[in-house]
Amino acid sequence: MVLSHGGEPWRPTGPVARLTAEQVLDLAPDEGTRGSGRALGSADAWSDTGQGGPGVMWGMYEGGDGAPCRTVVDANGPFHTCSCPAAKPPCAHVLGLLLIVSRTPAPARAEEPPPWAERWLADPYGRVTAGPPLAPAGAGASGGGAAARRAGRRAERITGGAQELEQRLIDLLRGGLAATGRPEYGLWEETAARMVDAQAPGLAGRVKELGSVPASGPGWPARLLEECALLHLLDSAWLGRDRLPGPLAATVRTRVGLTASAEGPVVRDRWLVLARYDSPDGRIVTRRTWLRGTDTGRTALLLSYGAPGRAPAHALPVGAVIDAEVARYPGGGRLRAELGERFGEPAVATAPPPGGTAAEAVAAYGDALRDDPWLDAWPVVLRDVIPAPSGDGWQLVGAEDGSALPVAPAALSRPGLWTLVALSGGGPLTVFGECGHRGFDPLVAWCPETAGGGGPGAEAVALT
């Protein structure tokens, strides 16, 4: 039994809070803490966790660079404490535990806390608050009103940032693009920092990408103008979001950086793990896992994040088939999904997934752009294509119709391209990858020579 100050059994004084992921991340003092907190929102990152009642959890985080961080959270305040030296609370450890609390059912019976957690729980006057109390959905007008006010304040900050960004784009075009090619040009870094201050990480990320365009080779002014036009379109869409159709408005909210929860009906299928790769994002590692339903034919993207020194979740082997439920997130073509309950053990695929031609892949990407004009790429499976050199690069040519897709520049420097060429040996094979305006980025290949006795094209070979 957890005792409060004075020896009485601890219990929340009001309704038990049920925070959403968005409410938790809104408590972050800055975008860096927000990203690190999201990465720590997995139980695999913690040890010695326990629950002392509804909304109360403690745990230890082994960062690998010193003594473990001891963290306790009470979502009914929300209150928190952590032994890390973060200057601006709440720290990433607090956000991570609160995210776990938001997805964890209340325990049937409170656990006994370790002494270091019990001392904090026994002293309510020594607690640190992370913000105004959060009431569960439906608990009354006050809880819903507080959440609405927080969302409104953030929307106002994003609107201010979007208006400032619009003015900076206008000034840029009036002054000409030539100045952006100078090494000392610093508008992009300053503007990205302003978007972070406006709590619009999506806008900040797109602004940072503009800074690399002048160094991308011949023709960069045209590419920079295209990217500025897309950024202007996103700004305009946010400022006029109330007039947009629901799905497009959800996409715009996602693109500017607002978090959302998985919604809609849960879909159970036998999901083939098409590809999995990690990419660094500052100190955080982002893992992308592509799935394809063998019955529905739908493609889903799982995103997970790893804190420094820790691997992200969803270590699903490429080529495996899992029987599982997924729920999709709104916006962005509804590609992103959350993995739910899994049933049984993974199986091994006995054949590659069905695919199409290069022409069909381009058409599919074009269709997806109607729902999300800011989409960089679309997942496709190419059937019976042959890698062939083309000028300074490579392309994938259809063995039947002769349609071709250029290999994206980012893939030309990876060893996986030569693996793909060696697997082909001049013959056709099946390839999964991401088709976008920069070309096709191959991620996994299947061919008869790698079947290993499991049937034609059964074995998946990762190219990343």
Side-chain angles (χ1 to χ4, degrees):
M1 178 180 296
V2 181
L3 300 182
S4 69
H5 185 71
E8 294 297 321
W10 179 89
R11 60 178 61 87
T13 57
V16 175
R18 192 66 175 172
L19 285 73
T20 66
E22 184 172 356
Q23 287 174 323
V24 171
L25 295 175
D26 278 347
L27 299 173
D30 51 55
E31 290 304 318
T33 305
R34 175 192 296 265
S36 299
R38 185 185 288 113
L40 294 178
S42 169
D44 296 337
W46 295 83
S47 62
D48 297 329
T49 57
Q51 289 183 270
V56 177
M57 179 173 282
W58 54 82
M60 297 179 65
Y61 175 73
E62 299 278 356
D65 52 358
C69 295
R70 297 177 173 181
T71 310
V72 190
V73 298
D74 175 2
N76 303 282
F79 303 103
H80 66 82
T81 187
C82 185
S83 62
C84 79
K88 296 185 292 184
C91 64
H93 308 104
V94 168
L95 296 179
L97 269 192
L98 285 173
L99 285 173
I100 297 173
V101 169
S102 71
R103 299 189 298 265
T104 305
R109 184 166 177 240
E111 301 177 44
E112 283 290 336
W116 56 268
E118 185 174 15
R119 285 193 295 271
W120 180 82
L121 290 168
D123 182 11
Y125 303 107
R127 297 183 178 186
V128 178
T129 180
L134 300 175
S142 61
R149 286 192 296 273
R150 285 193 299 273
R153 287 194 296 269
R154 183 174 183 189
E156 290 176 1
R157 288 192 288 268
I158 295 175
T159 297
Q163 291 171 338
E164 180 179 347
L165 181 56
E166 277 290 279
Q167 188 58 53
R168 294 193 177 205
L169 289 175
I170 291 173
D171 294 342
L172 171 67
L173 295 179
R174 284 176 176 170
L177 301 178
T180 63
R182 295 199 298 263
E184 70 275 10
Y185 189 77
L187 176 65
W188 305 131
E189 291 78 4
E190 179 192 352
T191 305
R194 292 289 300 118
M195 295 306 102
V196 171
D197 293 340
Q199 291 190 296
L203 293 179
R206 299 190 76 90
V207 170
K208 287 180 181 178
E209 291 177 1
L210 293 180
S212 63
V213 175
S216 61
W220 69 262
R223 290 191 292 274
L224 180 60
L225 188 60
E226 292 171 356
E227 294 299 330
C228 287
L230 283 173
L231 189 54
H232 163 69
L233 181 64
L234 182 55
D235 269 349
S236 302
W238 170 262
L239 297 174
R241 62 193 180 280
D242 294 337
R243 301 188 298 272
L244 298 178
L248 182 56
T251 296
V252 170
R253 288 193 293 269
T254 300
R255 288 299 179 186
V256 300
L258 290 177
T259 56
S261 301
E263 60 180 25
V266 173
V267 178
R268 180 177 176 180
D269 203 340
R270 297 176 65 252
W271 299 93
L272 169 63
V273 183
L274 288 171
R276 189 191 79 208
Y277 64 95
D278 297 346
S279 56
D281 184 9
R283 298 184 63 198
I284 305 300
V285 175
T286 302
R287 171 168 292 169
R288 290 171 172 83
T289 305
W290 286 106
L291 307 177
R292 182 188 179 100
T294 56
D295 297 329
T296 62
R298 296 291 302 274
T299 305
L301 172 64
L302 306 180
L303 289 180
S304 55
Y305 304 91
R310 291 185 178 271
H314 302 319
L316 302 174
V318 175
V321 178
I322 58 172
D323 184 0
E325 296 178 338
V326 302
R328 295 188 179 273
Y329 286 80
R334 296 186 65 82
L335 279 177
R336 187 184 173 191
E338 184 176 276
L339 186 63
E341 185 176 359
R342 295 166 58 177
F343 307 91
E345 296 296 323
V348 178
T350 58
T357 64
E360 291 170 339
V362 173
Y365 177 52
D367 290 341
L369 286 174
R370 291 183 303 191
D371 298 326
D372 185 355
W374 307 277
L375 191 66
D376 290 329
W378 186 256
V380 293
V381 178
L382 299 179
R383 182 190 69 249
D384 294 335
V385 291
I386 303 171
S390 174
D392 294 333
W394 285 78
Q395 61 182 352
L396 297 177
V397 183
E400 296 180 0
D401 65 348
S403 61
L405 267 177
V407 175
L412 295 178
S413 59
R414 292 202 307 257
L417 174 62
W418 302 110
T419 302
L420 178 65
V421 173
L423 288 174
S424 168
L429 71 173
T430 298
V431 184
F432 168 76
E434 299 171 356
C435 177
H437 62 280
R438 297 181 180 90
F440 182 81
D441 191 353
L443 301 176
V444 172
W446 295 262
C447 68
E449 287 78 3
T450 61
E459 184 178 344
V461 179
L463 304 175
T464 55

